[in-house]
Amino acid sequence: MGERISWDQYFMAQSHLLALRSTCERLKVGATIVRDKRIIAGGYNGSVSGGVHCIEEGCYVIDGHCVRTVHAEMNALLQCAKFGVATEGAEIYVTHFPCLQCCKSIIQSGITTVYYATDYRNHPYALELFKDAGVHVEKVELSYLTVDTNPLEKMKFISELFHKLEEANVEDIELKQLHEKANALFTTLD
């Protein structure tokens, strides 16, 4: 019998999958709220329901922050509020360290543990607030499997590399072998 994925890796993988639904062009974030080893809500960063998305008109940036999006953690918490699901004593798995505003909302919701995969502008006051509130914070990188959150950008980059190699007159046989290897790693390239 093979080794099973750990609960932390499983829930973090769920958050990375949720991040793939993000409509923000600057950073794709996913959050999964868990209680008693059961997923009770999930969210990703994106515009309000029915609103214009960043992928349609670009990010609406004020003071270095996109104000168009609702953060993943908030979307997950609001999903619980909308459907009457208690968050007291729950845990949250987030792809990136929560911002200061999400930190405060997480504390107010009664969540007791924050797991995050990637450091992202970790605000010292957020760490202080979590500590003062008795919220356990732990970094859990997704190591069991890889969830590619930006495959289109990588495919575009590889395509650009091939065009540069063609312009540099790399031998056709070598170029063909590289192209076959890239196609085996990705989907069809231009």
Side-chain angles (χ1 to χ4, degrees):
M1 185 186 269
E3 187 178 322
R4 292 183 348 164
I5 187 172
S6 74
W7 284 114
D8 287 344
Q9 291 292 298
Y10 173 74
F11 295 129
M12 194 57 76
Q14 294 292 325
S15 294
H16 279 80
L17 286 173
L18 282 162
L20 295 174
R21 291 279 307 152
S22 171
T23 59
C24 184
E25 293 184 319
R26 300 177 77 218
L27 184 68
K28 296 181 180 308
V29 180
T32 304
I33 301 176
V34 175
R35 192 176 56 243
D36 299 324
K37 302 287 185 255
R38 300 287 178 260
I39 295 172
I40 60 173
Y44 53 87
N45 56 331
S47 301
V48 295
S49 297
V52 174
H53 295 285
C54 298
I55 57 175
E56 297 166 346
E57 291 189 12
C59 291
Y60 182 10
V61 179
I62 297 176
D63 295 329
H65 298 283
C66 180
V67 297
R68 179 169 299 185
T69 60
V70 178
H71 289 191
E73 303 92 323
M74 288 304 300
N75 269 326
L77 289 169
L78 292 168
Q79 188 179 66
C80 289
K82 186 175 183 178
F83 295 106
V85 179
T87 54
E88 185 73 33
E91 304 168 324
I92 190 166
Y93 289 79
V94 191
T95 56
H96 296 76
F97 188 86
C99 74
L100 190 53
Q101 296 305 318
C102 287
C103 159
K104 293 187 278 186
S105 296
I106 288 167
I107 291 168
Q108 289 299 98
S109 73
I111 287 175
T112 58
T113 306
V114 174
Y115 297 101
Y116 70 98
T118 305
D119 290 305
Y120 183 73
R121 299 179 183 173
N122 301 27
H123 199 287
Y125 187 52
L127 290 166
E128 182 183 329
L129 287 173
F130 280 140
K131 182 181 176 189
D132 291 347
V135 174
H136 175 73
V137 178
E138 185 176 332
K139 188 172 185 178
V140 175
E141 295 180 40
L142 185 61
S143 61
Y144 187 83
L145 65 137
T146 300
V147 177
D148 193 350
T149 58
N150 58 356
L152 297 178
E153 292 90 348
K154 288 178 183 174
M155 287 174 34
K156 182 180 176 188
F157 177 73
I158 294 295
S159 292
E160 290 170 1
L161 281 177
F162 277 115
H163 292 299
K164 295 271 188 209
L165 290 171
E166 288 169 6
E167 290 172 1
N169 293 322
V170 173
E171 289 187 40
D172 285 342
I173 283 198
E174 187 179 0
L175 197 57
K176 184 179 179 194
Q177 289 172 341
L178 290 170
H179 205 280
E180 287 172 359
K181 188 171 183 176
N183 276 331
L185 294 171
F186 299 99
T187 59
T188 307
L189 298 171
D190 296 336

